[in-house]
DNA sequence: AAAACTATCAACCGCTCCGGG
DNA sequence: ACCCGGAGCGGTTGATAGTTT
């Protein structure tokens, strides 16, 4: 939190040197917002709606930069904001989405109505990250058993609590499926190079730093294995940049606090014989929604078969919803990018 | 009771992206 | 093509509240 009553010539707000009536640059307030300031901004926004934030700051009679007004509105004053602690379901979802999106807080926030990216970021950095740090020794043990899923379960259990419905006896199973679902969404084999997290991977599957890209799990195997254990899914690991039918040794990467842990290698055999259009209805237990994955194969420009997955519904959160997270067109993104269910702390 | 420590979270900072001139 | 300003994002800071010693 910041001290109220701070005044400073604009710095860092490149877009919002507040200009007074005489065209003179005004000093703008910094620090905590007073109730009066909140009221001014709230009233102005409700009357006039969105516009240029610099103008809003000026017209609302605030000695704040537009950037500060925007932040205050988005993070605190917006009428549709939820208050209070994250529900277990929200926590679950945050962890879930982070495994797919990484630190794209705004994208994650877009999937949690009434929550802000700042809120989620704070939650992650304080609660989840810290928890992981505490359990670092456990992490290495878990990783040696090749079970990211177990780790996820551990983390979730730590955060959400044993007694929670989501962590009930059926939960591990479900989480595994969700993890698998996430990864499957990203599964594609496209060109000789692919992009992950803004890194380019060469023909050998290494990025410019010599790292292998994250792994991708195959939804079909996840489904058929019933999510019984993560280990069972190792045979379905895919790595972008390789063709089907390849047998690869893939080091498993798992990052915690910048540590990369390399558990035993896993082999992967992808059969070409599942070149059929298949539809998977994964009916969850109880009233958990259903998601659908349509698998089919298209022939790529290089003649190799490209596995295509169309996902309708996402995890257990948005049944029937098209695959779109926030403003990020994942369908387009996934057409070119591979990802994994990994924790990226 | 007080000091030390820890957790939380509002807000700032610096950066990138994008559109308009 | 370049510059500029606005918008938005992710990382970080630091005040304060809560907890432990």
């Amino acid at each position: 939190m910041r001290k109220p009553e701070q005044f400073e010539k604009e710095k860092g707000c490149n877009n919002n040197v507040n200009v007074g009536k005489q065209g003179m640059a005004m000093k703008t307030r910094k620090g905590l917002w007073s109730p009066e300031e909140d009221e001014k901004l709230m009233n102005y926004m409700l009357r006039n709606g969105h516009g240029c934030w610099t103008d809003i700051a000026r017209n609302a009679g605030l000695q704040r930069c537009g950037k500060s007004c925007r932040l205050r509105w988005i993070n605190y004053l917006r009428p549709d904001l939820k208050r209070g602690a994250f529900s277990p379901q929200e926590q679950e979802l945050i962890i879930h989405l982070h495994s797919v999106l990484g630190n794209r807080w705004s994208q994650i926030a877009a999937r949690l109505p009434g929550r802000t990216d700042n809120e989620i970021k704070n939650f992650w950095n304080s609660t989840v990250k810290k928890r992981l740090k505490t359990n670092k020794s456990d992490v290495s043990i878990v990783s040696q058993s090749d079970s990211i899923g177990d780790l996820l379960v551990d983390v979730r259990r730590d955060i959400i609590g044993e007694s929670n419905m989501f962590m009930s006896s059926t939960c591990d199973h479900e989480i595994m499926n969700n993890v698998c679902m996430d990864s499957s969404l990203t599964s594609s084999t496209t060109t000789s190079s692919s992009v992950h997290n803004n890194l380019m991977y060469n023909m050998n599957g290494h990025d410019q730093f010599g790292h292998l890209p994250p792994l991708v799990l195959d939804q079909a195997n996840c489904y058929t294995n019933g999510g019984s254990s993560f280990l069972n899914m190792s045979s379905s690991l895919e790595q972008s940049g390789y063709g089907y039918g390849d047998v690869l040794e893939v080091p498993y990467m798992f990052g915690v606090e910048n540590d990369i842990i390399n558990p035993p290698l896993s082999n992967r055999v992808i059969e070409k014989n599942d070149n059929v259009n298949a539809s998977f209805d994964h009916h969850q237990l109880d009233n958990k929604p259903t998601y659908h994955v349509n698998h089919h194969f298209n022939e790529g420009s290089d003649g190799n078969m490209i596995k295509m997955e169309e996902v309708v519904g996402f995890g257990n959160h948005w049944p029937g919803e098209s695959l779109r997270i926030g403003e990020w067109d994942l369908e387009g993104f996934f057409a070119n990018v591979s990802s994994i269910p990994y924790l990226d702390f």
Side-chain angles (χ1 to χ4, degrees), chain A residues 282-333:
Chain A
H282 194 121
H283 296 284
Q284 299 281 341
L285 296 170
D286 303 325
N287 58 352
K288 293 294 183 296
T290 303
Y291 44 71
H292 307 267
V293 178
N294 295 328
H295 276 185
H296 57 276
F297 289 83
N298 290 344
E299 190 168 347
S301 56
D302 56 357
N304 290 330
M305 298 310 291
I306 298 171
K307 185 176 185 178
M308 309 296 285
E309 289 178 343
E310 180 188 356
V311 179
V312 183
F314 187 72
N316 56 357
H317 302 286
W318 315 288
E321 196 172 323
S322 65
L323 180 55
R324 200 178 189 88
I325 293 187
E327 294 173 3
W328 185 27
D329 183 351
L330 286 178
E331 280 171 328
F333 181 73

Side-chain angles (χ1 to χ4, degrees), chain A residues 1 6 17 76-77 80 85 129 145 169 209 267 271 293 307 324 332:
Chain A
M1 293 177 209
Q6 282 185 326
V17 172
Y76 194 79
L77 296 176
D80 62 323
K129 212 169 172 179
S145 67
S169 57
F209 305 112
N267 291 336
E271 301 292 345
V293 178
K307 185 176 185 178
R324 200 178 189 88

Side-chain angles (χ1 to χ4, degrees), chain A residues 50-64:
Chain A
H50 282 274
C52 170
W53 285 107
T54 309
D55 293 343
I56 289 170
R58 188 172 50 240
N59 296 337
L62 292 162
Q63 289 181 286
R64 294 274 182 175

Side-chain angles (χ1 to χ4, degrees), chain A residues 186-221:
Chain A
T186 68
S187 175
S188 68
T189 306
T190 51
T191 56
S192 59
S193 66
S194 60
V195 183
H196 180 77
N197 290 343
N198 301 323
L199 296 176
M200 293 298 297
Y201 294 98
N202 61 23
M203 286 288 286
N204 296 321
H206 292 82
D207 65 21
Q208 65 265 45
F209 305 112
H211 298 140
L212 284 163
L215 301 173
V216 174
L217 296 176
D218 178 56
Q219 162 62 21
N221 280 287

Side-chain angles (χ1 to χ4, degrees), chain A residues 77-232:
Chain A
L77 296 176
R78 249 169 53 199
D80 62 323
L81 280 182
K82 269 188 197 170
R83 304 282 178 185
F86 287 103
S87 70
Q89 288 87 349
E90 286 175 315
Q91 296 181 24
E92 171 91 1
L93 185 50
I94 290 167
I95 294 167
H96 177 95
L97 288 172
H98 190 272
S99 70
V100 180
L101 297 170
N103 293 359
R104 294 184 182 90
W105 307 117
S106 62
Q107 301 291 342
I108 295 172
R111 283 291 165 185
L112 283 124
R115 299 296 188 179
T116 69
D117 54 354
N118 210 33
E119 220 177 348
I120 294 166
K121 182 169 58 183
N122 282 334
F123 166 72
W124 188 268
N125 286 334
S126 59
T127 311
V128 182
K129 212 169 172 179
K130 200 149 288 174
R131 199 71 228 186
L132 257 286
K133 211 171 187 175
T134 310
N135 291 348
K136 209 167 180 179
S137 56
D138 297 341
V139 168
S140 60
I141 292 165
V142 168
S143 66
Q144 281 165 16
S145 67
D146 253 2
S147 180
I148 286 175
D150 288 348
L151 175 61
L152 262 178
V153 169
D154 287 344
V155 171
R156 289 172 196 216
R157 183 175 291 125
D158 285 343
I159 293 164
I160 297 167
E162 292 277 3
S163 60
N164 187 273
M165 280 283 290
F166 273 65
M167 297 310 302
S168 65
S169 57
T170 61
C171 186
D172 290 5
H173 177 160
E174 280 189 42
I175 288 170
M176 297 316 302
N177 288 332
N178 288 338
V179 168
C180 192
M181 276 305 303
D182 285 346
S183 57
S184 73
L185 299 178
T186 68
S187 175
S188 68
T189 306
T190 51
T191 56
S192 59
S193 66
S194 60
V195 183
H196 180 77
N197 290 343
N198 301 323
L199 296 176
M200 293 298 297
Y201 294 98
N202 61 23
M203 286 288 286
N204 296 321
H206 292 82
D207 65 21
Q208 65 265 45
F209 305 112
H211 298 140
L212 284 163
L215 301 173
V216 174
L217 296 176
D218 178 56
Q219 162 62 21
N221 280 287
C222 172
Y223 176 78
T224 52
N225 286 341
S228 57
S229 95
F230 208 80
L231 259 180
N232 288 348

